[in-house]
Structure formats: C-alpha cells, structure tokens
Amino acid sequence: MQGKTLINSKTVKVLNVHLSITSFANILKEMDGTINKRRISGYISITNTESIYHATRIPSHFNYINNADFSCCDGVGVIIAGRMMGHKIPRLHGPDLMLKSCEYGLPKKWRHFFYGGRDGVPELLSEKLSEKFPGLITAGTYSPPFRPLTQEEDEAIIKRINDANPDILWVGLGLLKQERWIEEHMGKKIKVPWMIGVGAAFDFHSGTVKRAPRYFRNVGLEWLYRTTFEPRLIKRNLYSLLLVFRVIKDVLNQKREKKTNA
C-alpha cells in the first residue's frame, strides 16, 4: 500500500515502513496550507522503533504509518537502522513537533484540542502550554476513561470535538491505541484538518513525567534516561534492539546476495 507524500517531502523505507525525509519547517508549512483550506483527515505518524516493530507484525499499523501525510522519525534506533541501509533520516521528535506547532500557530490562531492522558492531564497540558505560549487557543480537552467507550460515549466525544472546531487534534492514548483511535475516527466522523498521536508529549509538557535533559536528547540517549526512571520502558527498548538486529540481518543477506550474483 503506497503512502501519501506531500509537497517537498520524500520518504525512505526501513523494513518497508515509510519515514519522511523532511523538516519541521516543511511540516508546519504543509499543515498551515491544509488548515487554511479546511481540508480534513490529514494525520501525522510519530514513528519510533517500537512502532516500526509492530508495523512488521500488524498489517493495520503498517498501513497507518505508510498512509500518513508525514511519518516522523522519533527514535535513535530508527536513525541507526536507516544508516545501516544507507539512509540519513532526520529525527522529528513528537513532543518537539507539539511545541513548534504551538509556537508557529500562535499568530495564525490555530486551535488545539487535547484528547488523552490521565484524568486532569490534558487540562494541565493546556495550562502549561498557555504559560509557555501566551495567547495559545485551546479548543477543548478530554481525558477518556481507561476502557473502551460505549457507542453513546464515542458519539458524544465526536460531537464535542467537532463542535470545538479545532485545527489540530492531539491524541495521547499510547502507542497502538492512539493510532487505532485516529484511524477509526478520521474522515467522516471527526472533521479536523490534522490528527497527531503523540502520547509522550502529554506527560512531558504537562510536567507529570520529567523529560530527559537536553544533553541526553541531543546525543540520542533519551531512552537511557527514561528507562532509568521508568523501568516499564525496558520492553520498549527491547523492541528497538530487535528492530536493529533485524535490519542488520537484512543488510547482511542483501550483501550475500550481491556477492552470489556478482
């Protein structure tokens, strides 16, 4: 299934999963054009190594990433895997995209809706972002219950979001769940120009989880810092290692085939 590619953006593949070769500036420019035209159903995939690992096993998640308007590399493991395959993939961290979107959209009066996080987190997130970016417009917030919504509850939240008329719907439900939710609600159900699943940003920018210092982020060791304080992330880092090992195996197999056919 071919992914969509917007103007001035190209993609490369890691295990057949698309990654965008672009910049925050280009993404924001494309978002602005779409918001101005009120086109609905654009979405951005925040794609890390765990996400790619799941994409190789779950067809619906694979299609979600490859059909995104942008697939943003969000992990040093993806960068390493890309280099092994001869690709230079820029890191476009999800939490940074949220901050840049808030700043860029201020003079344009972009409207943000924050859906997800634990009880009180989306409201705290809105408060913290408004302190950082005075004048930020929050169209709405909602923290869903930690269980499947009933049809009535789902219809109510759809109406709530549509009535709020946001330009960007930020979804923070955690990997796989947020992507599945976006896929189920895009288009005819929720009429919003952009949906972005970026769970970690809710915790980082609300202050409920401490983000790694900039030094760790700049050298690609944010995963180590977070694992130290959040042991539950060990499994996620294991997925990263499995992905890198799989890429190494594929690269070696390709080299053997070239030698055999030479």
Side-chain angles (χ1 to χ4, degrees):
M1 203 168 190
Q2 288 294 319
K4 297 183 290 185
T5 304
L6 293 185
I7 299 170
N8 298 324
S9 177
K10 66 177 183 177
T11 61
V12 296
K13 296 180 182 179
V14 172
L15 300 180
N16 288 322
V17 177
H18 290 197
L19 279 305
S20 297
I21 307 300
T22 187
S23 65
F24 281 129
N26 185 53
I27 292 173
L28 293 169
K29 179 182 176 182
E30 294 295 342
M31 289 175 67
D32 188 36
T34 297
I35 289 170
N36 287 336
K37 295 175 183 177
R38 297 308 298 174
R39 191 198 80 179
I40 63 172
S41 299
Y43 74 94
I44 296 173
S45 171
I46 305 300
T47 309
N48 58 22
T49 45
E50 182 184 5
S51 186
I52 293 178
Y53 175 84
H54 289 308
T56 64
R57 294 168 172 264
I58 305 172
S60 60
H61 192 61
F62 175 87
N63 290 335
Y64 174 89
I65 297 174
N66 281 11
N67 283 294
D69 292 280
F70 290 102
S71 173
C72 296
C73 166
D74 191 320
V76 67
V78 179
I79 293 174
I80 293 172
R83 284 178 181 170
M84 291 177 182
M85 303 179 74
H87 306 312
K88 188 175 181 181
I89 303 173
R91 189 176 187 194
L92 302 167
H93 198 36
D96 291 338
L97 176 60
M98 177 179 276
L99 294 180
K100 290 181 180 297
S101 296
C102 290
E103 182 178 22
Y104 183 91
L106 268 181
K108 302 174 183 297
K109 300 187 183 302
W110 283 2
R111 298 169 58 80
H112 303 262
F113 196 111
F114 304 103
Y115 177 85
R118 297 187 302 277
D119 188 37
V121 168
E123 291 76 19
L124 184 58
L125 172 63
S126 173
E127 179 184 326
K128 295 291 186 181
L129 289 174
S130 294
E131 290 175 1
K132 190 175 184 67
F133 304 105
L136 181 78
I137 300 174
T138 295
T141 60
Y142 186 75
S143 176
F146 193 69
R147 58 167 172 76
L149 299 181
T150 65
Q151 183 177 344
E152 292 75 17
E153 289 172 328
D154 192 51
E155 290 174 354
I157 187 58
I158 290 171
K159 184 177 187 305
R160 181 171 177 170
I161 293 171
N162 285 336
D163 287 349
N165 193 33
D167 296 308
I168 307 173
L169 174 59
W170 300 96
V171 184
L173 301 176
L175 183 61
L176 294 185
K177 186 177 179 181
Q178 62 196 17
E179 286 79 11
R180 185 164 56 248
W181 189 92
I182 289 172
E183 193 167 36
E184 290 173 352
H185 290 81
M186 70 174 64
K188 295 181 179 179
K189 288 187 177 181
I190 293 182
K191 303 182 185 303
V192 59
W194 290 97
M195 294 191 193
I196 308 174
V198 61
F202 277 59
D203 291 328
F204 289 157
H205 299 322
S206 67
T208 55
V209 171
K210 187 177 180 181
R211 194 176 183 188
R214 186 169 297 278
Y215 171 79
F216 282 84
R217 304 202 301 269
N218 289 343
V219 298
L221 291 177
E222 185 171 7
W223 62 271
L224 179 61
Y225 181 91
R226 290 193 64 193
T227 303
T228 302
F229 295 96
E230 300 177 77
R232 64 184 177 82
L233 297 179
I234 290 176
K235 185 177 180 180
R236 177 179 297 179
N237 292 329
L238 178 60
Y239 287 137
S240 298
L241 287 173
L242 290 173
L243 176 74
V244 171
F245 287 147
R246 183 168 173 182
V247 169
I248 291 173
K249 181 180 177 181
D250 281 7
V251 170
L252 291 176
N253 286 338
Q254 290 174 13
K255 287 182 178 180
R256 289 194 192 98
E257 289 179 5
K258 287 181 179 179
K259 286 183 179 180
T260 302
N261 297 328

